[in-house]
Amino acid sequence: MSRHFTTRADGSPSQISPSGAAGVTSDMTLEGTYVLLCDWHGKVVWKTSVGDRIAIGEEVWKHGTKKSIERMRTALASVVTLREECVIEVESDRGEHFRFWMWPLSEPDIAVCILALRIPGELALLTDRERACLRCLAQGMSTRDIADELSIGLTTVHTHLRRSREKLGSVSAEALIGLAARYFFVSPPGGSDASHGKPKVAAEPNRESRAGRRAGAS
């Protein structure tokens, strides 16, 4: 965890202290995480300044791939107009992968708060069902509980977890639990986000490659 300066819209450094306005904390973020504030057009009006390429005044999707730009525009419109929280995964034009948590704010000039977390690119290989199993695992559920929650067989749960480990680099069972807690503790098990008042997870296309399917079947 590191303490660093942030940037105002006029380009001057800013250091927010705990004694500032109510609800504002000091600018301390974990490595690989970034905070952005955007207006209702998607232009960045404030950001933490470490490690990201987006500049003040640029659209938040400037460095995304074509598909990610469309996904971010759709998500931002939903957050601004419907005032719904949202979680999406995006890819930069450098092949970097991020998860965005997006929350509506009260002013048009500062309409959306985004927490961006850099995630492993291998997560894109996971199927929807494998992701559901990892979300359950992140909640501390046993394999039997996961089977009951998702209405699938215990053997099927073990198969999904095994394939997840293979796609994520043949990690150990203990490491898989850690990865699940870090990258999938974002919504209730089973993906029932909106009905429980949790951030809505935007639908992701099934991007499981043929190579991934062959690896899972072996």
Side-chain angles (χ1 to χ4, degrees), residues 190-209:
S192 53
D193 309 275
S195 61
H196 290 270
K198 298 289 185 178
K200 179 180 178 181
V201 179
E204 292 284 342
N206 189 342
R207 292 181 286 182
E208 181 180 23
S209 63

Side-chain angles (χ1 to χ4, degrees), residues 15-188:
Q15 183 70 54
I16 301 174
S17 65
S19 60
V24 176
T25 59
S26 60
D27 180 28
M28 300 181 69
T29 54
L30 293 171
E31 182 179 359
T33 64
Y34 315 101
V35 179
L36 305 165
L37 299 180
C38 303
D39 65 13
W40 68 285
H41 294 292
K43 290 185 177 181
V44 177
V45 298
W46 182 93
K47 70 184 186 76
T48 53
S49 59
V50 173
D52 59 317
R53 294 186 288 156
I54 301 174
I56 298 295
E58 292 181 341
E59 294 174 323
V60 68
W61 47 74
K62 177 177 180 179
H63 300 291
T65 62
K66 183 177 180 180
K67 288 184 177 179
S68 292
I69 289 173
E70 295 174 356
R71 188 173 299 136
M72 283 188 276
R73 283 175 169 167
T74 300
L76 186 125
S78 175
V79 173
V80 170
T81 59
L82 302 179
R83 303 197 61 76
E84 293 181 344
E85 300 174 9
C86 187
V87 181
I88 61 173
E89 290 183 10
V90 298
E91 182 180 358
S92 77
D93 53 10
R94 290 181 176 177
E96 301 163 319
H97 293 256
F98 295 88
R99 179 171 291 141
F100 280 12
W101 285 264
M102 306 174 71
W103 295 273
L105 299 177
S106 58
E107 299 292 334
D109 292 340
I110 309 179
V112 179
C113 176
I114 300 175
L115 172 64
L117 171 67
R118 189 189 301 272
I119 61 176
E122 291 81 3
L123 296 187
L125 300 175
L126 299 173
T127 65
D128 289 342
R129 185 58 83 180
E130 289 162 356
R131 286 169 175 265
C133 287
L134 291 178
R135 283 196 293 269
C136 292
L137 194 65
Q139 300 283 336
M141 300 174 67
S142 68
T143 51
R144 173 63 67 184
D145 291 336
I146 295 173
D148 292 341
E149 176 69 27
L150 301 179
S151 300
I152 57 179
L154 184 59
T155 300
T156 303
V157 172
H158 284 291
T159 298
H160 287 317
L161 294 179
R162 174 178 59 81
R163 291 178 177 174
S164 297
R165 290 171 57 190
E166 291 170 351
K167 292 176 182 179
L168 296 175
S170 299
V171 298
S172 67
E174 292 77 10
L176 186 66
I177 294 173
L179 284 169
R182 177 168 175 79
Y183 298 115
F184 290 92
F185 193 73
V186 296
S187 63

